[in-house]
Structure formats: structure tokens, C-alpha cells
Amino acid sequence: MKLSVLDLAPVTEETSVSTALHNAADLAAHCEQLGYHRFWMAEHHNMTGIASAATAVALGHVAEKTSTIRVGSGGVMLPNHAPYVVAEQFGTLDALHPGRIDIGLGRAPGTDGRTMRALRRKPEDAEHFPSDVKELLGYLAEADPSDPIKAVPGFGQNIPVWLLGSSLFSAQLAAALGLPYAFASHFAPDMLHQALKVYNNEFTPSRYLDKPYSMAAMNVFAADSEQEARTLMSSMQLQFVALRQGRTGFLPKPVDNIQAVCDPYALAAANHALSYTAFGTAEQVGRQIRNFAAETGVDEVMLTSHAYDFQARKRSFEIAAKAISAGTPSTEAAKDV
């Protein structure tokens, strides 16, 4: 089983943006040593608890601190940018770190309405997502020497492009274009199985893939005891409760008893959003991740962890990697993207 990592460079109540970005590179190097396949960062704006807004810049820092793990966006919100600029940015990353760069694309704004306007984005821009994806592909692997406009860097570079989603839209588009597909089940669980079914059933072979290739995300909080893991998870629960109430602050400190500090209805909503979460000891986490992979049939599982303490976050990824490595016998080589 391939394991990968999604990181949002979380900023806590006690750390800075600078610390969060340096932690992201440290985490990537740690996960590289543990055998994780790829390390992605996500574009979010106007969120004091997330430091990865300038995603391509942050990925450049991560790529410099690693040597073998794939590095990419999970994702870049394409309607916020001109496809030509994305091609140049990621073409530059690929030129500096050849063969290691991924472009994951989403169509959500990654922010609130006022900030969306500050980005010079209009709500209807999402309607152009399919044509924007095709335009970006045209600047990359589909580029031709006769094209009057060339992305330099980016022109003719075979950088893998993924579509990301939490509904059926991107699943259908990824299938139609023959692109790899990743589902954001770590915070949007409801349509996971339906989207994967649509993607697999409607997939059209392309110059990029001859058969479907999918990934789904889940949260992970692993520790030496189940109670310690539950405490680690409480920071993310508190953050989701706050987000649903319109508060976008720092990642909060964990609590030992989440029920004692949260409204039960707000907590239930947060827990539903976090349905796909592996937590507990190595044995528990390993079983939960393997079950998730078996139930979804995905080619990769992408793990993310918003543990407040950075060392505990690193430890969660370490426990998960070792649990899967110990419990998964080596068979035929996995296909790659």
C-alpha cells in the first residue's frame, strides 16, 4: 500500500508562520525517511491557522529539504490563478527538482467570499474549471513547438496533473480527461464511495493513464495509547467546530475531554466531517488504514494530521508508516503516477 502525506503547515496558538513552514519541510524529510510516496500542501487564504497559502513557494522550500519524495499541491485552487502562471510556477519547481513534482488542482476558492474578491476571483469563475484544466495541460505535456504562447519553464514538461474533489464534478472530469483523481475524504466524507465509483466506471484511457488511478485522504492521530491519540485529535475537532461557527483562528491546544468543552451538536457535526480518521495505537491505526484502503479500493491513502505538538505529529506519521509496513506483505510492485 502506498501512503502519502497532506500538510497545511498548521500554525498553533504558540507558533509562528515561519515555524509552521520550517516544520512542514522537517515533516517532509521525516516522512521521506519513513517511505511515504508523496508530500502535498494545500492552498488556503485568510486563515491564521494555515501557512500554505503561497503553495508553490512553500513547496519549493519543502523540495529543497528533501531528495526523493514527490512534492506537490493538494491542491492549487485553479480558478484563483491564470493557468499560464500555474504552468510557469510548477514548471520552475520541476526544472529545479525534475521528476518529483505533482500538480493537484481544485476548483473551490479555498477561502471566504470577501477574500475571494481580494483574489480578483468571481463566484462564476469555477464554471471555467474544465477549460482551465485543459488550458494548463496544453502548456505542459500537450505543448507543441509551434504553439505561439509557451510556458517557460513548463513547456513540454510531463508534470503529473491530478484533479481533486469532494463531490462528483471533479470525479467525472478526471475520468473524462484520463487524469488521476484524489478525494478529500478527510473533511468531506459523504460522497467518497459514489465519486470513486463514477471515476472508475467512466474513466477514459489517455496519454496520462491507461487505467484509473485514485487516492483518498484520511486523518491520522497515532500514539502509544488510545487516550493520548484522542487528546491529539481534539485540536482538530475544536478547529472544525470553530470553522463551522465562522472562526478561523490558530490550531487550538488539545483537551483531554472534548465533550466537556464543546456543544454536543457542534461536536457531532465536526465528528461527521472527520469520519475518516485513524486514531489510537499502532495496531488500531494500522487496521483502520488498511480497512479504509480495502473499502475504497484506492491506489494510495493520503494521511494528514493536525496534532498540536509538532513532535506528536511526526510521531503519528511514524507510527502509521511502521504499522502499515509491518502489516502489509510485499507482493507485486505497485503502479506509479
Side-chain angles (χ1 to χ4, degrees):
M1 183 195 309
K2 284 186 181 178
L3 292 181
S4 292
V5 176
L6 173 66
D7 187 60
L8 276 63
V11 185
T12 73
E13 296 173 353
E14 298 175 300
T15 57
S16 65
V17 167
S18 176
T19 299
L21 290 169
H22 286 294
N23 283 348
D26 188 351
L27 179 63
H30 180 64
C31 290
E32 180 176 75
Q33 293 300 312
L34 292 169
Y36 282 89
H37 185 56
R38 63 183 93 236
F39 186 95
W40 282 5
M41 301 184 77
E43 176 186 346
H44 291 276
H45 300 281
N46 195 28
M47 294 188 180
T48 53
I50 296 174
S52 54
T55 311
V57 179
L59 291 172
H61 176 59
V62 168
E64 284 290 339
K65 301 296 183 180
T66 55
S67 58
T68 58
I69 194 169
R70 298 195 64 87
V71 174
S73 59
V76 159
M77 301 298 106
L78 188 56
N80 292 348
H81 312 275
Y84 184 78
V85 172
V86 175
E88 289 180 326
Q89 290 175 343
F90 282 82
T92 300
L93 286 170
D94 181 70
L96 292 169
H97 310 281
R100 294 178 54 209
I101 303 301
D102 300 324
I103 309 177
L105 303 174
R107 66 185 182 108
T111 190
D112 58 90
R114 287 177 295 183
T115 308
M116 182 173 67
R117 290 190 289 274
L119 289 164
R120 302 297 190 267
R121 172 176 173 168
K122 302 180 292 298
E124 60 268 25
D125 288 345
E127 298 174 8
H128 306 298
F129 184 67
S131 60
D132 285 347
V133 171
K134 293 176 184 178
E135 182 180 347
L136 175 59
L137 292 171
Y139 294 131
L140 298 170
E142 296 178 6
D144 186 272
S146 64
D147 291 342
I149 300 176
K150 297 179 177 64
V152 182
F155 171 75
Q157 291 171 238
N158 192 27
I159 307 171
V161 173
W162 290 67
L163 295 192
L164 319 179
S166 57
S167 66
L168 301 185
F169 183 91
S170 289
Q172 293 169 321
L173 182 59
L177 297 178
L179 296 173
Y181 176 64
F183 193 91
S185 37
H186 60 299
F187 72 88
D190 291 336
M191 301 191 74
L192 169 64
H193 294 281
Q194 188 176 357
L196 289 174
K197 183 177 180 180
V198 166
Y199 173 67
N200 288 321
N201 288 346
E202 298 184 8
F203 183 86
T204 302
S206 67
R207 64 185 298 170
Y208 312 106
L209 291 173
D210 58 359
K211 55 185 175 180
Y213 192 98
S214 61
M215 177 163 59
M218 68 186 310
N219 307 289
V220 63
F221 299 95
D224 293 328
S225 71
E226 182 177 337
Q227 179 54 48
E228 184 182 354
R230 286 186 181 276
T231 299
L232 294 178
M233 182 179 172
S234 67
S235 290
M236 195 169 192
Q237 291 170 300
L238 290 168
Q239 187 177 53
F240 264 69
V241 168
L243 285 172
R244 288 173 178 269
Q245 295 173 349
R247 296 180 285 117
T248 59
F250 300 111
L251 183 67
K253 293 180 179 179
V255 295
D256 291 331
N257 184 0
I258 188 75
Q259 287 84 6
V261 298
C262 278
D263 172 82
Y265 294 103
L267 180 59
N271 286 342
H272 175 73
L274 304 176
S275 295
Y276 291 116
T277 297
F279 69 91
T281 63
E283 188 276 331
Q284 291 172 309
V285 165
R287 182 176 66 252
Q288 292 162 14
I289 295 172
R290 284 191 293 272
N291 287 345
F292 178 77
E295 291 170 4
T296 58
V298 293
D299 299 284
E300 290 185 45
V301 174
M302 178 161 272
L303 301 179
T304 187
S305 180
H306 268 36
Y308 185 87
D309 179 77
F310 180 57
Q311 296 304 319
R313 198 183 320 154
K314 290 174 68 175
R315 176 72 173 142
S316 285
F317 286 110
E318 181 178 346
I319 291 173
K322 291 181 177 179
I324 294 302
S325 177
T328 305
S330 176
T331 56
E332 61 179 326
K335 56 183 178 178
D336 197 7
V337 167

